[in-house]
Amino acid sequence: MDNKGTIAIEDITDIVLAKADYHWNSGYNEFTFACKINGKEDEIYLTEQRHDDGTSFIINSKTDDIWEKLSPNDAYKLEDLLQEKRQYGVYHNKIEKITTLRECEYMKWDFMENDNPYFNRVRSQLQAELNKKKEELALLDNDKDVENDDIDLTF
C-alpha cells in the first residue's frame, strides 16, 4: 500500500533546532529538530551530504518514516522549512551566548556576510534578537574596552 500523503506539512508543528552536528571530514552534517507530528512529540533528522557537484538532503523522523508519508510537494516544503529553522536555530543559539557588545558587533558582520536564502527569511527576527541582546548588554556595561559609540545594527 502506498502511504504517500498520509501526513501533510500542516501536521508538523513546533519545529525547533535541538542539535547540530558537523562532520566536515566525513562530508556530512546532521541536524535534529524537536517537533510535533499530528500533535505528538517527535524528532526530525536532516542529514546534509556534501558531494563534488553540490549537496543532497535526507529527512527522517524518530517514530516513523516521515519521508514516505509526505506527498512530494509537502516533502519539498518540509525541506525548505527545516533549512529555515536550521538557520534560525544556529544564529539564535549564537546570540544567546553573546556576553559583550564587541560580540554583538561581530555578529552584525556575520549577518551581513550571510547571503543564504534561508537565513534571509529569518534575518529580521534574528536582527531583533541581536538588538535586544545589545540593549541588555549596554545596561550591564559589560564591555569596558569598547568605547561608548553606538553600534548600528540596522541594515
Side-chain angles (χ1 to χ4, degrees):
M1 180 177 167
D2 185 13
N3 288 330
K4 285 287 190 185
T6 59
I7 295 176
I9 191 72
E10 295 81 19
D11 299 329
I12 305 167
T13 60
D14 303 333
I15 302 172
V16 176
L17 180 67
K19 184 178 177 186
D21 291 316
Y22 300 94
H23 307 279
W24 297 110
N25 293 333
S26 299
Y28 70 98
N29 303 321
E30 294 177 313
F31 303 93
T32 302
F33 300 87
C35 68
K36 290 183 180 177
I37 300 176
N38 289 323
K40 296 179 183 174
E41 298 290 330
D42 208 334
E43 289 182 346
I44 295 177
Y45 310 106
L46 171 68
T47 303
E48 173 187 46
Q49 297 175 320
R50 291 182 297 283
H51 309 282
D52 291 339
D53 59 346
T55 58
S56 64
F57 300 94
I58 299 170
I59 298 174
N60 303 92
S61 58
K62 183 177 183 177
T63 58
D64 209 350
D65 190 356
I66 192 171
W67 194 255
E68 292 298 319
K69 292 190 174 188
L70 288 168
S71 70
N73 190 38
D74 279 351
Y76 290 116
K77 287 179 184 178
L78 179 59
E79 181 182 331
D80 269 2
L81 183 58
L82 292 177
Q83 291 291 352
E84 185 178 307
K85 297 292 186 177
R86 168 187 162 191
Q87 288 291 317
Y88 174 78
V90 167
Y91 278 95
H92 172 79
N93 292 340
K94 286 181 180 183
I95 291 169
E96 282 189 338
K97 293 177 183 174
I98 290 176
T99 59
T100 67
L101 290 172
R102 179 159 296 170
E103 290 172 343
C104 286
E105 179 74 8
Y106 294 148
M107 183 62 65
K108 174 187 113 174
W109 293 108
D110 197 3
F111 281 15
M112 291 171 61
E113 292 174 356
N114 191 335
D115 62 353
N116 182 301
Y118 299 107
F119 174 79
N120 288 334
R121 293 180 188 173
V122 295
R123 179 185 298 269
S124 61
Q125 184 178 0
L126 290 166
Q127 187 66 53
E129 290 181 23
L130 184 59
N131 287 337
K132 182 178 178 187
K133 176 63 89 165
K134 180 200 169 228
E135 291 170 7
E136 291 169 2
L137 291 172
L139 289 174
L140 295 173
D141 197 24
N142 220 12
D143 203 352
K144 303 289 184 195
D145 59 339
V146 174
E147 292 185 22
N148 209 7
D149 294 338
D150 285 339
I151 300 170
D152 181 12
L153 298 175
T154 58
F155 295 103

